[in-house]
């Protein structure tokens, strides 16, 4: 398929681009490079720099595209609580412009990066797609608003769309991984502390209602996540908006993640306890049964040590490259 990939210079977008190209798709990537890196754009993809709202309509108007894979977004829970305006404009307004550009150019397919944060604090885990959606932060609220807009475009205009609700994506693939100017995610932070790039790891909250008091998350390997995007593109049907959770189905506490990182790296990592971060739910674990049954998705890298080990290889290589 000829595909437009937004946010292809970011972490998930750069890995998925590689997997899409390996599967034979032809890619044009757009990214404003506000948080992404030009070097991360997949070799073989055409690159256009700009905001989605500014350039998507022109790119889609140049030639006929089979679909859009829309990664470009702001995605930090804590930042979204402090600066919601970045999220309502950067996520919702930009995506509404993309949907309009797709409608006007009759671009048939959309795969959208939604999130576990659309569910908020779950009543029951693992979380299924029919669970109530009550986001506890503006990040989740903006992604949910977009999911609603996409559903309306499917029903009214025949768009074929799939929203993939990512749980905690980690790991690396094909030389692409987590490489942000300001890192806030747990696994890369712990690995940077292992390398001495930062002095310690702060555990945000030790009073959650969990066995060890720290928050539990479901970590999914970015390469497994990328495979789901291939399947989603193939499965999309005109007039239907399908929603799938993507996780490994196993929850790990912050303390368990740190301990796995120590095992994988063989390094004793200094830890400090700190207050909870605003907007963080206690437990998020996915049921991915629907993706497995309907998409035929087969995650193969579900063990946390595998995910951490791939992230560790990437983080070390990046650190050597940066210091060289
Ligand atoms: N976390 C932490 N210390 C850090 C970064 C994250 O304790 O330096 C916790 C965070 O509060 C959450 C979990 O680790 O409970 C995963 O956070 P992350 O930012 O990686 O992903 P999120 O769940 O926010 O999407």
């Amino acid at each position: 398929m000829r595909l437009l990939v937004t946010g292809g210079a970011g972490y998930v977008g750069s890995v998925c681009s590689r997997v899409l190209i390996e599967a034979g798709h032809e890619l044009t990537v757009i990214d404003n490079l506000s948080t992404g890196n030009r070097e991360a754009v997949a070799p073989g993809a055409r690159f256009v720099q700009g905001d989605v709202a500014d350039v998507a309509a022109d790119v889609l108007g140049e030639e006929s595209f089979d679909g859009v894979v829309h990664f470009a977004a702001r995605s930090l829970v804590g930042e979204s609580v402090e600066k919601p305006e970045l999220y309502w404009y950067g996520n919702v307004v930009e995506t509404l412009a993309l949907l309009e550009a797709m409608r006007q150019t009759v671009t048939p397919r959309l795969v959208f990066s939604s999130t576990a944060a659309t569910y908020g604090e779950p009543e029951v885990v693992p979380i299924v797609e029919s669970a109530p959606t009550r986001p506890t932060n503006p990040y989740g609220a903006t992604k949910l608003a977009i999911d609603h807009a996409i559903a309306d475009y499917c029903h009214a205009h025949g768009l074929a769309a799939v929203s993939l609700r990512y749980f905690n994506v980690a790991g690396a693939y094909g030389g692409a991984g987590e490489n942000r100017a300001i890192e806030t995610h747990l696994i890369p932070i712990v690995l940077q502390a292992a390398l001495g790039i930062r002095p310690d790891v702060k555990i945000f909250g030790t009073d959650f209602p969990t066995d060890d008091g720290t928050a539990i998350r479901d970590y999914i390997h970015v390469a497994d996540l990328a495979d789901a995007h291939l399947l989603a593109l193939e499965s999309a049907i005109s007039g239907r908006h399908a929603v799938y959770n993507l996780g490994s189905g196993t929850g790990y506490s912050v303390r368990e993640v740190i301990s796995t990182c120590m095992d994988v790296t063989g390094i004793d990592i200094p830890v400090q306890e700190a207050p909870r971060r605003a907007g963080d739910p206690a437990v998020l674990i996915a049921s991915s049964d629907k993706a497995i049954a309907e998409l035929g998705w087969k995650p193969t890298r579900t063990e946390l040590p595998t995910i951490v080990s791939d992230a560790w290889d990437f983080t070390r290589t990046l650190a050597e490259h940066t210091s060289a």
Side-chain angles (χ1 to χ4, degrees), residues 54-319:
D54 294 335
V55 298
D58 285 346
V59 172
L60 289 175
E62 281 166 14
E63 50 193 342
S64 163
F65 281 80
D66 300 299
V68 177
V69 191
H70 180 37
F71 300 103
R74 302 241 174 206
S75 62
L76 304 178
V77 168
E79 181 185 63
S80 80
V81 175
E82 279 154 29
K83 298 178 184 165
E85 63 281 5
L86 294 181
Y87 286 72
W88 286 99
Y89 276 95
N91 291 352
V92 177
V93 174
E94 293 278 330
T95 307
L96 293 179
L98 176 66
L99 285 171
E100 265 309 279
M102 290 182 70
R103 184 174 72 85
Q104 280 162 18
T105 54
V106 200
T107 306
R109 263 179 219 88
L110 173 67
V111 176
F112 172 60
S113 306
S114 187
T115 169
T118 54
Y119 296 110
E121 193 81 56
E123 281 162 17
V124 179
V125 289
I127 301 170
V128 292
E129 290 80 357
S130 55
T133 41
R134 291 187 288 246
T136 54
N137 52 64
Y139 168 57
T142 59
K143 288 283 185 168
L144 183 61
I146 295 166
D147 277 341
H148 288 315
I150 292 172
D152 288 346
Y153 270 72
C154 290
H155 296 141
H157 303 307
L159 180 67
V162 179
S163 287
L164 298 175
R165 292 197 169 148
Y166 307 167
F167 282 61
N168 286 65
V169 189
Y173 177 81
E178 294 187 78
N179 177 17
R180 305 179 180 94
I182 301 171
E183 189 51 76
T184 65
H185 293 87
L186 182 61
I187 290 177
I189 280 184
V190 179
L191 298 177
Q192 288 176 1
L195 285 173
I197 295 171
R198 56 178 75 231
D200 55 34
V201 179
K202 299 201 174 34
I203 299 182
F204 295 143
T206 52
D207 59 347
F208 285 102
T210 61
D211 282 353
D212 68 15
T214 66
I216 292 177
R217 295 287 180 276
D218 177 338
Y219 295 86
I220 168 174
H221 197 294
V222 67
D224 282 340
L225 187 85
D227 288 343
H229 289 71
L230 290 175
L231 296 165
L233 275 167
E234 285 159 14
S235 75
I237 293 172
S238 174
R240 190 181 75 168
H241 177 223
V243 176
Y244 298 102
N245 291 344
L246 296 175
S248 68
T250 308
Y252 293 92
S253 72
V254 172
R255 286 192 206 280
E256 286 171 329
V257 170
I258 296 171
S259 145
T260 304
C261 290
M262 292 204 213
D263 290 345
V264 168
T265 62
I267 298 170
D268 196 22
I269 300 163
V271 165
Q272 267 197 38
E273 296 188 357
R276 288 187 191 194
R277 194 171 62 178
D280 272 349
V283 181
L284 291 175
I285 301 173
S287 161
S288 305
D289 290 353
K290 190 178 169 200
I292 291 165
E294 292 186 12
L295 295 177
W297 184 53
K298 294 190 188 75
T300 58
R301 305 159 181 93
T302 53
E303 302 297 319
L304 187 61
T306 308
I307 296 173
V308 168
S309 176
D310 287 352
W312 178 230
D313 288 345
F314 177 80
T315 306
R316 269 191 309 183
T317 307
L318 185 69

Side-chain angles (χ1 to χ4, degrees), residues 2-80:
R2 179 179 296 141
L3 300 172
L4 172 63
V5 170
T6 74
Y11 167 47
V12 176
S14 63
V15 171
C16 288
S17 294
R18 282 162 172 74
V19 171
L20 289 166
I21 289 172
E22 279 166 19
H25 298 296
E26 180 191 325
L27 262 54
T28 297
V29 165
I30 62 181
D31 199 301
N32 62 10
L33 301 183
S34 64
T35 55
N37 308 306
R38 176 65 184 87
E39 322 78 77
V41 174
R46 178 166 80 106
F47 179 64
V48 178
Q49 184 174 347
D51 287 336
V52 170
D54 294 335
V55 298
D58 285 346
V59 172
L60 289 175
E62 281 166 14
E63 50 193 342
S64 163
F65 281 80
D66 300 299
V68 177
V69 191
H70 180 37
F71 300 103
R74 302 241 174 206
S75 62
L76 304 178
V77 168
E79 181 185 63
S80 80

